Each structure stands twice: as C-alpha cells, then as structure tokens.
Amino acid sequence: MFRLIYISSASEEISPTDIQDILTTAVSNNRNMEITGLLMYNGLNFMQVLEGERDDVEPLFEKISQDKRHVSVASILQGDADTRIFAPWAMLFKKLKPETTEQDIPEVTMSEIMALEMPDNVRAIIKNFDSLMG
C-alpha cells in the first residue's frame, strides 16, 4: 500500500460546481482503482491524501497535477504505508469555508478525521492544513 499527500492552490476561476465535479469524479474513479482518501479545501488551497497501490496512485497524482482547476501542486509526503487511514471511503471531503456544494460525498468534521488511526506525521499535516485560513 502506498500513500501520497499533496497540497495545491485553487485557480482563480474555480467555482462550487468545479468542486462538485472534482468530488464526483474522484469518488467514481477512486472506487474503480480501489483508491481511498481525503480531500480538504479551504477556499484557496487543497490538500489531498491518496491511498492505494503505487501503480495506481502515482499516475493519478500525475493526472491531478495537470488539472487546470488548481496550480502549484506539490507532493508533501509519499511512501509505503502499512494500513489505510480512509479504508471505507473512496474520498472523504472536508471544506473549511462554507460554500454551497450539493453532493452525496461524505463530508466530515475535523474531530471525526482526528479520531481515525493514523501515523503522527499524517495527523500533523492534516492539522496544519486545517489551521490555514483560506
């Protein structure tokens, strides 16, 4: 199992519809590839955790890196992992600024995320991103 975490900045033209499209596509594609994860968005930046087979996660990250809806994509953690943190979910979503997105993607609170078993370095990345103001 392989885990990759990246951050990026939303493009200036991004809309709530774009966010919905990102989530819908992520859930659909991730289920097919058995990738799990978390997407956080604070109105300016994204942070995403992707978990799955390296041969699936790395090409997906390359595809995500080319998406025009965000810029300055930077991987901040990559490596083998013993277990999945987000095993039941193709993609959890946590927005830090209220917006209108209509989705059936599970939206979680920080307390729910922090209650999950995860390595300390992943927990620190998620907490630090949560503290950023968009």
Side-chain angles (χ1 to χ4, degrees):
M1 223 273 300
F2 183 73
R3 181 176 298 123
L4 184 145
I5 302 175
Y6 75 86
I7 57 172
S8 65
S9 297
S11 68
E12 292 181 12
E13 305 85 34
I14 201 157
S15 70
T17 302
D18 290 323
I19 303 299
Q20 176 62 41
D21 291 344
I22 289 168
L23 290 167
T24 301
T25 301
V27 168
S28 174
N29 291 345
N30 290 0
R31 279 190 185 129
N32 292 336
M33 293 186 288
E34 298 182 5
I35 291 176
T36 57
L38 167 71
L39 175 65
M40 296 176 72
Y41 176 60
N42 68 5
L44 291 177
N45 306 102
F46 293 100
M47 193 263 335
Q48 187 167 24
V49 180
L50 298 169
E51 304 171 321
E53 295 301 317
R54 181 186 296 261
D55 291 343
D56 294 323
V57 171
E58 288 182 331
L60 176 60
F61 176 64
E62 287 304 314
K63 184 178 178 182
I64 289 169
S65 297
Q66 302 304 313
D67 191 320
K68 303 272 189 254
R69 294 173 290 194
H70 62 166
V71 298
S72 303
V73 180
S75 169
I76 57 173
L77 182 135
Q78 291 187 44
D80 294 327
D82 295 331
T83 60
R84 292 177 187 261
I85 299 167
F86 304 101
W89 305 284
M91 187 56 54
L92 282 177
F93 178 56
K94 169 73 172 96
K95 63 184 174 203
L96 306 180
K97 286 184 98 171
E99 288 185 9
T100 52
T101 55
E102 299 173 14
Q103 78 268 351
D104 54 3
I105 289 94
E107 188 173 335
V108 295
T109 65
M110 272 308 288
S111 59
E112 290 170 318
I113 294 169
M114 290 297 108
L116 298 171
E117 291 286 327
M118 69 183 77
D120 291 341
N121 61 338
V122 174
R123 185 177 305 279
I125 290 168
I126 292 170
K127 284 173 114 175
N128 287 342
F129 185 82
D130 185 59
S131 69
L132 292 176
M133 299 300 289

